[in-house]
Structures are given as structure tokens and as C-alpha cells.
Coordinates of all heavy atoms in Angstrom, one line a residue:
D1310 N -19.8 13.0 -3.7 CA -19.6 12.5 -2.5 C -18.8 11.3 -2.5 O -17.9 11.0 -1.7 CB -20.9 12.3 -1.7 CG -21.6 13.7 -1.3 OD1 -21.0 14.7 -1.4 OD2 -22.8 13.6 -1.1
L1311 N -19.2 10.3 -3.4 CA -18.5 9.0 -3.5 C -17.1 9.2 -4.0 O -16.2 8.6 -3.5 CB -19.2 8.2 -4.6 CG -18.7 6.8 -4.7 CD1 -18.7 6.1 -3.3 CD2 -19.7 6.0 -5.6
A1312 N -16.8 10.1 -4.9 CA -15.4 10.3 -5.4 C -14.5 10.9 -4.4 O -13.4 10.5 -4.1 CB -15.4 11.2 -6.5
Q1313 N -15.1 11.9 -3.6 CA -14.4 12.6 -2.5 C -14.1 11.5 -1.4 O -13.0 11.5 -0.8 CB -15.1 13.8 -2.0 CG -15.1 15.0 -2.8 CD -16.0 16.1 -2.3 OE1 -16.7 15.9 -1.4 NE2 -15.9 17.3 -2.9
T1314 N -15.0 10.7 -1.0 CA -14.8 9.7 0.1 C -13.7 8.7 -0.4 O -12.9 8.3 0.4 CB -16.2 9.1 0.4 OG1 -17.0 10.0 0.8 CG2 -16.0 8.1 1.5
C1315 N -13.7 8.3 -1.6 CA -12.9 7.3 -2.2 C -11.5 7.9 -2.1 O -10.5 7.2 -1.8 CB -13.2 6.8 -3.6 SG -14.5 5.7 -3.7
E1316 N -11.3 9.0 -2.6 CA -10.0 9.7 -2.6 C -9.4 9.9 -1.3 O -8.2 9.6 -1.1 CB -10.0 11.2 -3.3 CG -10.2 11.1 -4.8 CD -10.5 12.4 -5.5 OE1 -10.5 13.4 -4.7 OE2 -10.5 12.4 -6.7
K1317 N -10.2 10.3 -0.3 CA -9.9 10.4 1.0 C -9.3 9.1 1.6 O -8.3 8.9 2.4 CB -10.8 11.0 1.9 CG -10.6 11.5 3.3 CD -11.7 12.1 4.1 CE -12.2 13.2 3.5 NZ -13.5 13.7 4.2
R1318 N -10.2 8.0 1.5 CA -9.8 6.7 2.0 C -8.5 6.1 1.4 O -7.8 5.5 2.1 CB -11.0 5.8 1.9 CG -12.2 6.2 2.6 CD -12.8 5.1 3.5 NE -13.7 5.6 4.4 CZ -15.0 5.3 4.3 NH1 -15.4 4.6 3.4 NH2 -15.8 5.9 5.2
I1319 N -8.4 6.4 0.1 CA -7.2 5.8 -0.6 C -5.9 6.5 0.1 O -5.0 5.8 0.4 CB -7.2 6.0 -2.1 CG1 -8.3 5.1 -2.7 CG2 -5.8 5.8 -2.6 CD1 -8.5 5.4 -4.2
E1320 N -6.1 7.8 0.3 CA -4.9 8.6 1.0 C -4.7 8.0 2.4 O -3.5 7.7 2.8 CB -5.2 10.0 1.0 CG -4.2 10.8 1.5 CD -4.5 12.3 1.4 OE1 -5.3 12.8 0.5 OE2 -4.0 13.1 2.3
E1321 N -5.8 7.8 3.2 CA -5.7 7.3 4.5 C -5.0 5.9 4.6 O -4.1 5.8 5.4 CB -6.9 7.3 5.2 CG -7.5 8.8 5.6 CD -9.0 8.6 6.1 OE1 -9.6 7.6 6.1 OE2 -9.6 9.7 6.3
L1322 N -5.5 5.0 3.8 CA -5.1 3.7 3.9 C -3.6 3.7 3.3 O -2.8 2.8 3.8 CB -5.9 2.8 3.0 CG -7.4 2.4 3.6 CD1 -8.2 1.7 2.7 CD2 -7.2 1.7 4.9
G1323 N -3.3 4.4 2.4 CA -1.9 4.5 1.8 C -0.8 5.1 2.8 O 0.4 4.7 2.6
K1324 N -1.3 5.9 3.8 CA -0.3 6.5 4.7 C 0.5 5.4 5.4 O 1.6 5.7 5.8 CB -1.1 7.4 5.7 CG -1.4 8.8 5.0 CD -2.0 9.6 6.0 CE -2.5 10.9 5.4 NZ -3.3 11.7 6.4
N1325 N -0.1 4.3 5.6 CA 0.5 3.3 6.4 C 1.7 2.6 5.6 O 2.5 1.9 6.2 CB -0.4 2.2 7.0 CG -1.5 2.8 7.8 OD1 -1.3 3.8 8.5 ND2 -2.7 2.2 7.8
G1326 N 1.7 2.8 4.3 CA 2.7 2.2 3.5 C 2.3 0.7 3.1 O 1.2 0.3 3.4
V1327 N 3.2 0.0 2.7 CA 3.0 -1.3 2.2 C 4.1 -2.2 3.0 O 5.2 -1.8 2.9 CB 3.2 -1.5 0.6 CG1 2.9 -2.9 0.2 CG2 2.1 -0.5 -0.1
V1328 N 3.6 -3.3 3.4 CA 4.6 -4.2 4.1 C 5.0 -5.3 3.0 O 4.1 -5.9 2.4 CB 3.9 -5.0 5.2 CG1 4.8 -6.0 5.8 CG2 3.4 -3.9 6.2
I1329 N 6.4 -5.3 2.8 CA 6.9 -6.3 1.8 C 7.9 -7.2 2.5 O 8.8 -6.8 3.4 CB 7.6 -5.5 0.8 CG1 6.7 -4.6 0.0 CG2 8.4 -6.5 -0.2 CD1 7.4 -3.7 -1.0
P1330 N 7.8 -8.5 2.3 CA 8.8 -9.4 2.9 C 10.3 -9.1 2.5 O 10.5 -8.7 1.3 CB 8.4 -10.8 2.4 CG 7.0 -10.7 2.1 CD 6.8 -9.2 1.5
L1331 N 11.3 -9.2 3.4 CA 12.6 -8.9 3.1 C 13.2 -9.6 1.9 O 14.0 -9.1 1.2 CB 13.4 -9.1 4.4 CG 14.8 -8.5 4.4 CD1 14.9 -7.0 4.1 CD2 15.6 -8.9 5.7
G1332 N 12.9 -11.0 1.7 CA 13.4 -11.6 0.6 C 13.0 -11.1 -0.7 O 13.6 -11.3 -1.7
T1333 N 11.9 -10.3 -0.8 CA 11.5 -9.7 -2.1 C 12.6 -8.7 -2.6 O 12.8 -8.6 -3.8 CB 10.2 -9.1 -2.0 OG1 9.2 -9.9 -1.5 CG2 9.7 -8.4 -3.2
F1334 N 13.2 -8.1 -1.6 CA 14.3 -7.1 -1.9 C 15.6 -7.8 -2.6 O 16.3 -7.1 -3.3 CB 14.8 -6.3 -0.8 CG 13.7 -5.4 -0.2 CD1 12.9 -5.6 0.8 CD2 13.6 -4.2 -0.7 CE1 12.0 -4.8 1.3 CE2 12.8 -3.2 -0.3 CZ 11.9 -3.5 0.8
T1335 N 15.7 -9.1 -2.6 CA 16.8 -9.6 -3.1 C 16.7 -9.8 -4.6 O 17.7 -9.8 -5.4 CB 17.1 -11.0 -2.5 OG1 16.0 -12.0 -2.9 CG2 17.3 -11.0 -1.0
G1336 N 15.4 -9.8 -5.1 CA 15.2 -10.1 -6.5 C 15.3 -11.5 -6.9 O 15.1 -11.8 -8.1
I1337 N 15.6 -12.4 -6.0 CA 15.7 -13.8 -6.3 C 14.4 -14.4 -6.2 O 13.7 -14.4 -5.1 CB 16.8 -14.5 -5.4 CG1 18.1 -13.8 -5.6 CG2 16.9 -16.0 -5.7 CD1 19.1 -14.2 -4.6
P1338 N 13.8 -15.1 -7.2 CA 12.4 -15.7 -7.1 C 12.2 -16.6 -5.9 O 11.1 -16.6 -5.5 CB 12.3 -16.4 -8.5 CG 13.2 -15.7 -9.5 CD 14.5 -15.2 -8.6
L1339 N 13.3 -17.4 -5.6 CA 13.1 -18.3 -4.5 C 12.8 -17.6 -3.2 O 12.1 -18.0 -2.2 CB 14.3 -19.2 -4.3 CG 14.3 -20.2 -3.3 CD1 13.3 -21.2 -3.6 CD2 15.7 -20.9 -3.2
F1340 N 13.3 -16.4 -3.0 CA 13.2 -15.6 -1.7 C 12.0 -14.6 -1.7 O 11.8 -14.1 -0.7 CB 14.5 -14.9 -1.4 CG 15.6 -15.7 -1.2 CD1 16.9 -15.4 -1.6 CD2 15.5 -16.9 -0.5 CE1 18.0 -16.3 -1.4 CE2 16.6 -17.7 -0.2 CZ 17.8 -17.4 -0.8

């Protein structure tokens, strides 16, 4: 039950994607 619930929650939370600040896409450490 615990394994199934964890897998389902990881999938549900991951559907929203990840929010990354635009400056991270530049690859420049300052941004």
C-alpha cells in the first residue's frame, strides 16, 4: 500500500512540472 501510494503521489506531483527561473537557462552563474 505504501509503495503504490508513493508512486501515485510522485506521478501526481510531477504532472505540474518544475518551475525554473529564466536566468537559469542562460547557464551564467550570476543569473
Side-chain angles (χ1 to χ4, degrees):
D1310 292 346
L1311 184 55
Q1313 288 175 347
T1314 304
C1315 283
E1316 287 174 359
K1317 190 184 301 179
R1318 293 236 170 108
I1319 288 170
E1320 186 179 331
E1321 287 170 2
L1322 289 172
K1324 281 181 183 176
N1325 299 331
V1327 180
V1328 177
I1329 299 176
L1331 189 60
T1333 304
F1334 288 94
T1335 66
I1337 300 170
L1339 182 63
F1340 296 138

